[in-house]
Amino acid sequence: MRLSKAGGPEEAGADRAEGTDGAAAAAARPPGLSRGMVLLLAVTCGVAVGNVYFPQAVSPLVADGLNVSADTAALVVTATQFGYAGGIFLLVPLGDRIPYRTLIVTLLSLTGLGLLGAAAAPGIPPLIAASVLIGVTTVVAQVVAPTAAGLVPEERRGAVAGTLLSGSIGGMLLSRVFGGAVGEWLGWRAPYLMTSVVALLIACVLARALPRSTAPSRQRYPALLAESLRLLRTEPDLRRSGFYQAMIFGGFSALWTGVALLLTGPEYGLGASAVGVLALVNAATMLCTPVAGRQVDRRGSDAVNLVCMVAVLVASAVLFAGGIGGAVGLAALAVGSLLLDVAMQSGTVANQVRIFGLSDEARARLNTAYMTCAYVGGSIGSWLSVQAYGAFGWSGVCGLVALLATLALTRHVAHLRGAGQPVTPS
């Protein structure tokens, strides 16, 4: 497929540039992805993505260790996610310019150094600065996804995207368990130190395991950045996919930022490890995303998006009962968070399959625009969650999740009606 163009002289020049990029990409393309390489890349995604999420479990420990309020400590989570959004915009486009082995190994190495800096931070300001650096550089999963999409047939992209996403989900879940448990045992600095070692070790493994490749594009860096913005302006399917994910991922981030405050607060009085245990319940999501990918291949992205948005609304209602406390509340948190997690991740597969079908030559730039929208939404969702929890308690967080899902669903229903598609889940 080709990107939609207006047809003017400037666009014609862009077409010629993309044609050059496409020829270079075809020449640079590796022979394919073996099953073992897909698994290795899935593990790499998990290692990288985990660095964004384990701070959610340790933020209460940071508050105690640095003698700051819980709200202030939660800024570490927000800083990491804002850094991640910035890294997606600034660094992921380099996947169309730099050989992927060089880029992936470099990013993991810089992430390891940032984690070391966070472990040594004497106070909140340097910890927030290190968290931004961690977020900016730990974007390997967003480099891997478009690379893999270009190495498999179109009819299998959903299944492969689901497999890679399962690796990312594993990193998200295990990182929270790891961060909470190790943080309570050895202090909040220990998770940062240990994850730095893991990131550097993985970088060494990939430096030897990944095959060599040449740069798929000859465009200069400023042109790559400008192209991501242009794609967001000119591609309606990219814009709406980015909006869907910004809203749903914003609700997801709001949940996990707020639930750390709820579980460690007076309603439950649990430790930081409880956040990780709750996240571990969502391990079933790893099994669901490949299924969601096959449904996308069979039914299309729009149908899967619709079901996912309705599921997030249902999840927000179930999560509301988490404010009751006790066994009933914990059960509601487990069921509601699992439903929300499955819906968010399945929607991610649907959105990425849609946008990767827009162009064969600019997948990294398409993914840059899309994931920047997603993580800006996630960062805002985390910040709004702290405000909602402070003003209205847990019910405010659940209301925020429902509001964001409603905005996404309203936009999607408008699109389906305009396209003459059914607006009821099937």
Side-chain angles (χ1 to χ4, degrees), residues 286-312:
M286 298 175 64
L287 304 177
C288 295
T289 49
V291 175
R294 290 192 290 272
Q295 290 300 310
V296 172
D297 291 335
R298 181 182 305 169
R299 301 175 185 273
S301 293
D302 283 347
V304 173
N305 276 137
L306 182 60
V307 173
C308 293
M309 292 169 188
V310 172
V312 174

Side-chain angles (χ1 to χ4, degrees), residues 1-19:
M1 294 185 180
R2 300 293 300 171
L3 294 169
S4 58
K5 301 286 181 184
E10 182 177 345
E11 285 76 12
D15 278 338
R16 289 193 296 271
E18 286 184 359

Side-chain angles (χ1 to χ4, degrees), residues 43-44 46-48 51 108-109 111-112 115-116 178 191-206:
V43 171
T44 302
V47 170
N51 296 323
L108 281 171
S109 300
T111 299
L115 289 162
L116 281 174
F178 165 81
Y192 284 98
L193 181 60
M194 292 182 181
T195 51
S196 71
V197 173
V198 171
L200 293 172
L201 286 176
I202 291 290
C204 293
V205 171
L206 292 177

Side-chain angles (χ1 to χ4, degrees), residues 225-246:
L225 294 184
E227 179 73 359
S228 296
L229 294 175
R230 188 191 68 79
L231 291 172
L232 193 60
R233 175 175 56 85
T234 60
E235 290 298 318
D237 281 346
L238 176 59
R239 285 199 304 274
R240 68 184 180 93
S241 297
F243 179 76
Y244 296 163
Q245 195 65 8

Side-chain angles (χ1 to χ4, degrees), residues 73-148:
L75 292 175
V76 173
V77 178
T78 302
T80 305
Q81 291 183 340
F82 267 120
Y84 197 68
I88 289 169
F89 179 74
L90 295 172
L91 299 182
V92 172
L94 292 174
D96 289 334
R97 181 67 179 86
I98 297 176
Y100 59 83
R101 183 174 76 169
T102 301
L103 182 58
I104 290 171
V105 171
T106 300
L107 290 175
L108 281 171
S109 300
L110 291 174
T111 299
L113 295 177
L115 289 162
L116 281 174
I124 278 289
L127 178 57
I128 289 176
S131 297
V132 172
L133 174 60
I134 294 165
V136 167
T137 57
T138 191
V139 293
V140 169
Q142 310 313 326
V143 175
V144 168
T147 298

Side-chain angles (χ1 to χ4, degrees), residues 17-99:
E18 286 184 359
T20 301
D21 285 354
R29 184 169 294 166
L33 288 179
S34 67
R35 184 184 297 262
M37 184 58 67
V38 170
L39 293 177
L40 176 59
L41 292 176
V43 171
T44 302
C45 290
V47 170
V49 170
N51 296 323
V52 182
Y53 293 97
F54 82 80
Q56 292 176 337
V58 302
S59 65
L61 302 175
V62 172
D64 292 339
L66 296 180
N67 296 316
V68 297
S69 68
D71 290 359
T72 301
L75 292 175
V76 173
V77 178
T78 302
T80 305
Q81 291 183 340
F82 267 120
Y84 197 68
I88 289 169
F89 179 74
L90 295 172
L91 299 182
V92 172
L94 292 174
D96 289 334
R97 181 67 179 86
I98 297 176

